[in-house]
Amino acid sequence: MRRVLALARQGEGYTRPNPLVGAVVVKDGVIIAEAYHERFGGPHAEVLALERAGERAQGAELYVNLEPCVDFPGKKTPPCTAAIIRAGIRRVVVAVRDPNPAVAGRGVAELKAAGIEVVEGVLAEEARKLNEIFFHWITTRTPFVALKLALTLDGKIASHTGKSRWITGPAARTRVHELRRRYAAVLVGANTVLLDDPELTVREVAGPQPLRIVLDGEGRVPPSARVFNRAAKTLVATARMRPETEETLRAQGVEVLRLPAQEQGVDLRRLLAVLGERGVDSVLVEGGGEVAWSFLSQELVHKIYFFYAPLILGGRRAVPAVGGEGFADPSQGIRVRDLTVEEVGGDLLLTGYPEYTGTRLTSLGTRDAGTRW
């Protein structure tokens, strides 16, 4: 099953909004064929692995990290359960069931009805984390949101002069490009674009380009910004923008999305709803501090990636990793569960999942906005 998970990861960025799936065919304790879901619309991992195994699949075992799919209206590929039954597989080992309401246990039931032994729950937690984006997306139809920050040991993302290049080292920056490949969209605020002029593309690793999203509530970012080049698609979410600026951006191929205004900029919940309607399954929020606060204070972040550099900037006017007004009391703060620490080059990557109480928004009232983006 660990081999299955490793195979599945090779599809990162290419299968969305489909899940990451690997498959291994084993006979007499020996792997005879393996495969992974390589791209959206392409053959599923189980079908590919069984094709490669050929007649040897008769009486073999199939290991897969996600419950094999069944036939349902609108499905683009043949059901994997039918292929497994035809191949003569005697036992299927499944890490987790598919939360897709169109599947949700039907795959396991079909295999059992055909006389195939099914074992469930092997490396289930690892399998759920591998497909956490898909699990969230398929059950809510809204994007899975992750917050990525590169910060110093004293919690700064830029100096008092606004300089942030480079807080973290080359290995951490390469990891960020891997994350951009994994997520369907990358999002920043207007301040980040004005200060750093990022391109927000995947460059240091191979992979598809994410949709670039700029939160620009007042239309302050100039059309000459690098994020508006044609290296990838770009969307600007705004509440107010001069008609001539909008016209220029549209001429450059940039989409301008007008959303209801909030005190801090635009309605983030409405933005995520629109993205969900368009099939965007995930968003990587890369900054800055005010945007981070807006997402966190509204309980919209599902995962964090904090890259800590062994660096101290100091200064009362240095830019904090998370801005805004902040919580009045530590008891209101956001706890992070399942925290893991990994060394990436000379930096540390902390990964975890925010825990929300559901009461924070009402206690903050309308004063959670902080500085406009």
Side-chain angles (χ1 to χ4, degrees), residues 2-75:
R2 294 197 186 282
R3 177 58 183 163
V4 166
L5 295 175
L7 287 166
R9 288 189 187 94
Q10 295 183 45
E12 285 188 343
Y14 296 96
T15 67
R16 60 179 176 244
N18 279 359
L20 301 170
V21 182
V24 169
V25 183
V26 176
K27 195 165 190 178
D28 299 326
V30 177
I31 293 177
I32 61 172
E34 59 184 28
Y36 68 96
H37 185 35
E38 299 177 8
R39 59 180 176 81
F40 176 74
H44 286 190
E46 301 96 315
V47 172
L48 280 174
L50 292 172
E51 286 179 353
R52 292 168 183 172
E55 294 182 356
R56 295 177 298 166
Q58 182 72 37
E61 300 173 315
L62 174 69
Y63 288 75
V64 63
N65 59 295
L66 191 67
E67 176 184 12
C69 66
V70 295
D71 200 15
F72 54 84
K75 195 173 184 303

Side-chain angles (χ1 to χ4, degrees), residues 307-337:
F307 291 86
Y308 279 90
L311 176 69
I312 297 173
L313 277 179
R316 289 186 298 274
R317 293 188 294 117
V319 183
V322 180
E325 183 179 346
F327 299 112
D329 189 278
S331 65
Q332 293 180 317
I334 300 170
R335 295 283 178 181
V336 180
R337 62 176 174 83

Side-chain angles (χ1 to χ4, degrees), residues 267-280:
D267 188 334
L268 294 181
R269 292 184 184 277
R270 181 58 191 148
L271 171 62
L272 293 176
V274 170
L275 294 174
E277 291 166 3
R278 297 183 179 188
V280 176

Side-chain angles (χ1 to χ4, degrees), residues 32-358:
I32 61 172
E34 59 184 28
Y36 68 96
H37 185 35
E38 299 177 8
R39 59 180 176 81
F40 176 74
H44 286 190
E46 301 96 315
V47 172
L48 280 174
L50 292 172
E51 286 179 353
R52 292 168 183 172
E55 294 182 356
R56 295 177 298 166
Q58 182 72 37
E61 300 173 315
L62 174 69
Y63 288 75
V64 63
N65 59 295
L66 191 67
E67 176 184 12
C69 66
V70 295
D71 200 15
F72 54 84
K75 195 173 184 303
K76 294 181 177 295
T77 56
C80 291
T81 50
I84 294 169
I85 294 168
R86 282 197 309 271
I89 291 290
R90 70 173 180 85
R91 183 169 79 150
V92 177
V93 181
V94 178
V96 289
R97 291 196 179 190
D98 190 339
N100 184 346
V103 183
R106 287 181 57 204
V108 168
E110 285 191 13
L111 295 176
K112 287 182 177 180
I116 298 173
E117 178 188 357
V118 179
V119 178
E120 299 182 68
V122 178
L123 298 186
E125 186 57 32
E126 290 92 331
R128 274 190 286 269
K129 284 190 175 181
L130 174 70
N131 272 312
E132 59 192 0
I133 290 175
F134 172 74
F135 277 37
H136 176 88
W137 157 253
I138 202 66
T139 54
T140 68
R141 294 296 178 177
T142 59
F144 181 90
V145 178
L147 172 63
K148 186 281 298 181
L149 294 173
L151 59 160
T152 64
L153 288 180
D154 55 339
K156 313 297 184 183
I157 59 173
S159 69
H160 67 88
T161 63
K163 302 292 185 181
S164 61
R165 293 185 179 179
W166 294 106
I167 286 177
T168 52
R173 296 198 293 275
T174 297
R175 179 65 65 86
V176 170
H177 284 261
E178 293 174 352
L179 290 176
R180 289 178 183 174
R181 173 181 63 190
R182 177 72 176 93
Y183 285 79
V186 177
L187 181 149
V188 296
N191 290 337
T192 296
V193 178
L194 292 170
L195 288 171
D196 296 341
D197 195 20
E199 192 173 12
L200 299 180
T201 54
V202 174
R203 298 185 301 279
E204 297 187 13
V205 297
Q209 296 295 345
L211 170 68
R212 300 175 295 188
I213 302 174
V214 179
L215 297 180
D216 191 5
E218 312 238 349
R220 295 184 293 135
V221 177
S224 59
R226 291 202 304 161
V227 74
F228 297 141
N229 64 25
R230 296 184 183 271
K233 292 182 179 179
T234 305
L235 180 151
V236 178
T238 186
R240 290 171 290 275
M241 180 180 287
R242 290 180 300 175
E244 56 269 29
T245 301
E246 180 174 350
E247 183 178 348
T248 301
L249 288 175
R250 291 188 185 278
Q252 294 175 199
V254 177
E255 179 183 0
V256 177
L257 177 64
R258 291 186 176 270
L259 294 170
Q262 288 187 331
E263 187 177 349
Q264 75 271 39
V266 298
D267 188 334
L268 294 181
R269 292 184 184 277
R270 181 58 191 148
L271 171 62
L272 293 176
V274 170
L275 294 174
E277 291 166 3
R278 297 183 179 188
V280 176
D281 67 356
S282 53
V283 176
L284 181 66
V285 178
E286 291 204 25
E290 301 302 327
V291 170
W293 166 252
S294 295
F295 273 89
L296 285 167
S297 64
Q298 294 183 59
E299 303 188 352
L300 298 175
V301 176
H302 304 108
K303 187 173 187 177
I304 64 165
Y305 301 96
F306 282 16
F307 291 86
Y308 279 90
L311 176 69
I312 297 173
L313 277 179
R316 289 186 298 274
R317 293 188 294 117
V319 183
V322 180
E325 183 179 346
F327 299 112
D329 189 278
S331 65
Q332 293 180 317
I334 300 170
R335 295 283 178 181
V336 180
R337 62 176 174 83
D338 296 340
L339 196 65
T340 60
V341 182
E342 175 188 356
E343 188 171 359
V344 182
D347 305 311
L348 293 179
L349 169 58
L350 272 66
T351 306
Y353 300 84
E355 279 191 324
Y356 300 117
T357 64

